[in-house]
């Protein structure tokens, strides 16, 4: 009987210990949540407190752990609402940054592309993309033949997403208010091309026919503005562009190699300057001020973008594309 009584008392003591442990765990969890919330708030305030109206290069940011905590609780990057830049000028900015940093020549390729969209292995639609690819002779060589062209090839679509150092590929956003001034034509005589691939017309019995006007709208609805920040930081951090090294580069909406992280830092600094001065579109004076601070150099970002990026893309019939 004494043994039974001792065991019963031990059980009661364990119940009390479990209750104390559960209350401790609850308290620890609540305190942890408060700390996490405070870290997320502090991360946001790091950017909110940058008030300088002159351009300043910010190259030190809160820790990756703080960014991860912020992403888990707050969603979009603190500067997201200010993150739109003219997509052509963005490409030109990156080209100039590469050139000033490396003292080597860089170029911009302009490639239009239809992605074939499948659902449960059944073709459902074409999705248009406009890519501005910035790199050097070596990194751009595989894509040079498609510069100034508009193609329809899923093989090209997947290969164009390849990553690496000294190459950044910007996929223009869908249009909201302002449309990019790039059009597609059937041939070098600039005859306007009806954006309905022949394959669609041959398979009317298998799918709903999409009229020419729909295809025109699809291509034309590509925005002149590019949101440079990802709308899913958590996913971007988890994937990290396929690289082992994570960092501030992963808040970008396009892939940046770890060695090219200075580009992400400069773009974030430009957005802070843009926000602090209530600027919608950066002017020639703004660009000169920014590059004067960065490199003590004057630039013509707007003029060079007009020269480097064509206003017409020549359509390549599907039978001539890579399959």
């Amino acid at each position: 009987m004494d043994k039974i009584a001792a065991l019963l008392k031990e059980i009661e003591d364990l119940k009390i210990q479990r209750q104390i442990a559960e209350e401790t765990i609850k308290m620890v969890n609540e305190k942890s949540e408060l700390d996490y919330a405070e870290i997320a708030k502090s991360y946001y305030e790091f950017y909110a407190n940058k008030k300088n109206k002159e351009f300043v290069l910010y190259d030190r940011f809160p820790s990756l752990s703080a960014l991860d905590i912020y992403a888990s609780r707050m969603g979009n990057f603190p500067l997201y609402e200010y993150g739109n830049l003219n997509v052509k000028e963005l490409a030109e900015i990156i080209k100039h940054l590469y050139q000033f940093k490396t003292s080597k020549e860089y170029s911009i390729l302009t490639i239009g592309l239809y992605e074939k969209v499948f659902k449960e292995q059944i073709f459902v639609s074409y999705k248009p993309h406009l890519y501005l690819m910035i790199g050097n002779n070596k990194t751009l060589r595989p894509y040079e033949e498609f510069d100034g062209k508009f193609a329809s090839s899923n093989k090209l679509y997947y290969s164009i997403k390849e990553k690496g150092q000294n190459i950044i590929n910007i996929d223009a956003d869908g249009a909201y208010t302002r449309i990019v001034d790039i059009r597609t034509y059937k041939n070098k005589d600039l005859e306007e091309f009806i954006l309905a691939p022949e394959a669609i017309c041959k398979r009317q019995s298998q799918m709903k026919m999409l009229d020419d006007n729909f295809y025109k709208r699809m291509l034309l609805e590509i925005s002149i503005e590019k949101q440079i920040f990802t709308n899913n930081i958590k996913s971007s951090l988890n994937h990290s562009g396929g690289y082992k090294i994570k960092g501030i580069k992963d808040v970008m909406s396009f892939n940046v190699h770890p060695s090219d992280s200075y580009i992400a830092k400069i773009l974030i600094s430009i957005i802070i300057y843009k926000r602090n001065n209530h600027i919608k579109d950066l002017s020639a004076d703004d660009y000169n001020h920014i590059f004067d601070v960065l490199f003590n150099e004057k630039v013509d970002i707007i003029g060079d973008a007009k020269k480097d990026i064509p206003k017409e893309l020549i359509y390549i019939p599907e039978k001539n594309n890579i399959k």
Side-chain angles (χ1 to χ4, degrees):
M1 292 294 292
D2 290 343
K3 182 177 180 181
I4 291 174
L7 289 171
L8 287 172
K9 185 177 184 308
E10 184 177 345
I11 290 170
E12 289 303 314
D13 290 343
L14 289 171
K15 286 181 179 178
I16 293 170
Q17 291 177 36
R18 182 172 64 184
Q19 183 178 354
I20 293 171
E22 288 173 350
E23 290 173 355
T24 301
I25 290 170
K26 181 181 178 183
M27 181 186 69
V28 168
N29 286 341
E30 289 175 351
K31 181 64 170 66
S32 295
E33 282 303 311
L34 288 174
D35 288 346
Y36 284 138
E38 190 61 30
I39 290 171
K41 179 183 175 185
S42 297
Y43 190 87
Y44 177 86
E45 289 175 346
F46 171 84
Y47 297 93
N49 291 335
K50 306 302 180 191
K51 303 288 189 181
N52 200 322
K53 292 197 172 186
E54 298 299 312
F55 177 77
V56 176
L57 173 60
Y58 300 100
D59 58 1
R60 296 180 65 84
F61 298 89
S63 69
L64 187 61
S65 297
L67 173 58
D68 192 45
I69 291 167
Y70 173 88
S72 298
R73 283 154 179 77
M74 305 295 285
N76 288 337
F77 192 66
L79 297 168
Y80 186 88
E81 66 176 296
Y82 310 100
N84 284 320
L85 291 174
N86 181 297
V87 68
K88 294 182 175 183
E89 293 167 17
L90 170 61
E92 199 64 50
I93 291 169
I94 294 171
K95 173 191 159 187
H96 277 70
L97 293 178
Y98 269 137
Q99 291 185 155
F100 281 124
K101 280 286 188 176
T102 66
S103 298
K104 295 179 181 179
E105 196 68 26
Y106 282 72
S107 304
I108 301 171
L109 303 185
T110 305
I111 301 173
L113 183 62
Y114 273 131
E115 171 197 0
K116 294 180 180 179
V117 181
F118 294 85
K119 186 175 182 181
E120 297 179 353
Q121 298 185 331
I122 299 174
F123 171 81
V124 291
S125 67
Y126 284 90
K127 180 180 179 181
H129 294 270
L130 177 65
Y131 292 107
L132 299 179
M133 191 178 276
I134 310 99
N136 57 29
N137 289 339
K138 181 180 178 181
T139 57
L140 295 182
R141 190 172 297 119
Y143 311 102
E144 285 178 343
E145 64 179 301
F146 296 101
D147 185 29
K149 307 293 195 307
F150 193 97
S152 176
S153 165
N154 268 28
K155 183 175 180 180
L156 177 59
Y157 169 70
Y158 288 113
S159 72
I160 212 169
K161 292 180 172 293
E162 290 177 356
K163 60 187 185 295
Q165 189 177 358
N166 294 313
I167 185 168
I168 287 179
N169 187 23
I170 298 171
D171 187 355
D173 289 344
Y176 299 99
T177 54
R178 298 193 293 174
I179 310 299
V180 69
D181 59 341
I182 295 177
R183 300 291 179 265
T184 299
Y185 295 90
K186 187 175 182 180
N187 55 42
K188 292 181 180 179
D189 296 328
L190 301 187
E191 173 189 348
E192 189 170 357
F193 175 64
I194 304 300
L195 298 169
E198 294 178 1
I200 292 278
C201 304
K202 294 177 181 176
R203 294 191 288 173
Q204 295 182 45
S205 60
Q206 299 178 30
M207 65 188 73
K208 182 179 177 183
M209 177 65 176
L210 301 176
D211 60 70
D212 294 344
N213 288 330
F214 174 80
Y215 272 95
K216 283 184 179 179
R217 287 200 307 275
M218 276 216 318
L219 179 63
L220 298 181
E221 290 178 354
I222 292 177
S223 179
I224 189 62
E225 295 179 327
K226 174 66 179 176
Q227 171 57 255
I228 72 166
F229 298 118
T230 177
N231 57 12
N232 192 335
I233 303 176
K234 195 69 178 173
S235 175
S236 294
L237 283 173
N238 289 340
H239 182 249
S240 191
Y243 303 112
K244 293 181 179 179
I245 301 174
K246 303 176 188 290
I248 195 65
K249 66 181 178 60
D250 296 313
V251 307
M252 297 285 109
S253 60
F254 40 85
N255 201 326
V256 179
H257 188 275
S259 298
D260 296 337
S261 290
Y262 66 88
I263 290 175
K265 295 175 180 179
I266 292 173
L267 290 176
I268 291 171
S269 302
I270 289 174
I271 295 302
I272 292 173
Y273 168 80
K274 187 169 170 273
R275 177 200 65 186
N276 291 350
N277 290 281
H278 309 287
I279 295 170
K280 181 172 178 57
D281 298 311
L282 292 164
S283 68
D285 288 341
D286 292 321
Y287 286 124
N288 275 327
H289 171 57
I290 290 166
F291 278 83
D292 185 47
V293 172
L294 290 172
F295 304 108
N296 196 27
E297 295 280 355
K298 300 294 183 184
V299 293
D300 185 10
I301 295 295
I302 297 172
D304 287 347
K306 290 178 180 177
K307 290 187 292 185
D308 288 342
I309 300 169
K311 287 194 173 185
E312 296 89 26
L313 302 179
I314 306 304
Y315 176 75
I316 309 173
E318 187 164 7
K319 63 182 179 180
N320 295 333
N321 293 332
I322 342 177
K323 299 302 181 188

